[in-house]
Amino acid sequence: MTKTYDALALLSGGLDSILAVKVIQDQGLRVLGLHFTSPFFGKKNLIPFWKEHYGIDAVAVNIGRQYVDMMLDGPPNNFGKWLNPCVDCKIIMIEHAKQLMEKYGAKFLISGEVMGQRPMSQRRDAMSLIRKRADAKDVLLRPLSALKLEPTPVEESGLVDRSRLLGLGGRSRKPQLELAKQYGFTEIPTPAGGCVLAEASAAGRFIKLMEEKTRPTPRDFVLAQVGRQVWAGSNWLSMGRKQHENKRLTDLSTDSDYVFTSVGFPGPVAVGRPTDAGSWDVETIRAAAELTASYASKAKRLSQETGRPVTMAVAHDGETREIEVMPRRETAVDWAEPTQDLVAPWKEARKQAQESCENGQ
Ligand code: SF4
């Protein structure tokens, strides 16, 4: 039988989300943390840690597919500084949490938002919009900023004692750190849960992917975060820099990918994934093998000393063949890493497309 709770909490694992749970637990109410995961955020391996260190029950909830669809269709409330659609992200999470209330017998939802803490999703108007769009007016409580907000039905009904809620606001983290001390936390989590969409370097990688593939999958977005990422026009190559990245790339590769490995010497694993442009031509395959071999230091040295090529294996469509290549960085096709410079023009183009759409052009 499913264990029941009084409240479900959006639990990113950041300090604010943990404190919000503690404030409600202090009233003798049972709270279950919902830890949402997607290709861009989520550390479900920490669930046992949260239980042990903070006494919080939590379950992981994968919203990857819906989240990626929202990103590709364009978040209705736009992106933040990089590719973070914070307002729509919160809306999706709250909508999901609402759907899970019945399953866990929960009477309300909580989130760790602090008014004014973040510029995009924690302004008063944005917080109000999120609550409205997620249709959570009657059930959503923000325990850390409750005293700055109108009383919610769960406070009015007496289920939650409003006088024991907090009125935090603004950008200072001092009150949260003080609270963490009072709760005796020995490990203080970072303010937020960690989200690559708010990082400049990841934004460039994701934009290049969205430009070259009409509907990238959640797994494509995961692949775009692993190792060294290079593109030659529409041809995408992900290369491991460390052993754990090589393993990750091997796990993520599929039959339709081109998987490059070195034969007879240690070296990186590289995965070439076709995009809308389709299969790779012979020249690109050779260039990718040459580039991958150039990051295998032993092979590169041997080749330089002897002037002889090295052997690379290329697996594709269930077949593996070996090719002889000279390790080199300058190949017949130009490989380049996507940078954050892609972000501004991509957003501008998207905005113009939206405007012309709204004007019926
Ligand atoms: S930073 Fe990422 S996880 Fe956090 S609200 Fe924004 S988009 Fe969502």
Side-chain angles (χ1 to χ4, degrees), residues 38-105:
S38 79
F40 315 108
F41 49 78
K43 291 189 179 123
K44 63 180 180 183
N45 57 313
L46 290 178
I47 286 176
F49 174 86
W50 296 326
K51 176 73 182 164
E52 193 185 326
H53 281 73
Y54 310 118
I56 297 175
D57 286 347
V59 290
V61 182
N62 186 343
I63 52 169
R65 183 70 264 178
Q66 186 190 355
Y67 204 94
V68 165
D69 283 343
M70 178 267 286
M71 291 285 293
L72 299 177
D73 295 338
N77 295 287
N78 289 321
F79 294 104
K81 186 171 181 197
W82 299 109
L83 270 193
N84 46 316
C86 295
V87 171
D88 294 293
C89 173
K90 289 275 167 60
I91 292 171
I92 286 184
M93 289 179 184
I94 294 168
E95 282 173 345
H96 259 271
K98 263 182 68 189
Q99 286 167 13
L100 290 170
M101 285 175 72
E102 193 180 337
K103 176 177 176 186
Y104 292 105

Side-chain angles (χ1 to χ4, degrees), residues 113-116 127 142-149 166-170:
E113 292 152 296
V114 171
M115 191 185 291
M127 286 171 73
R142 278 104 168 201
L144 302 185
S145 278
L147 302 184
K148 290 193 175 301
L149 298 161
L166 307 177
L168 305 187

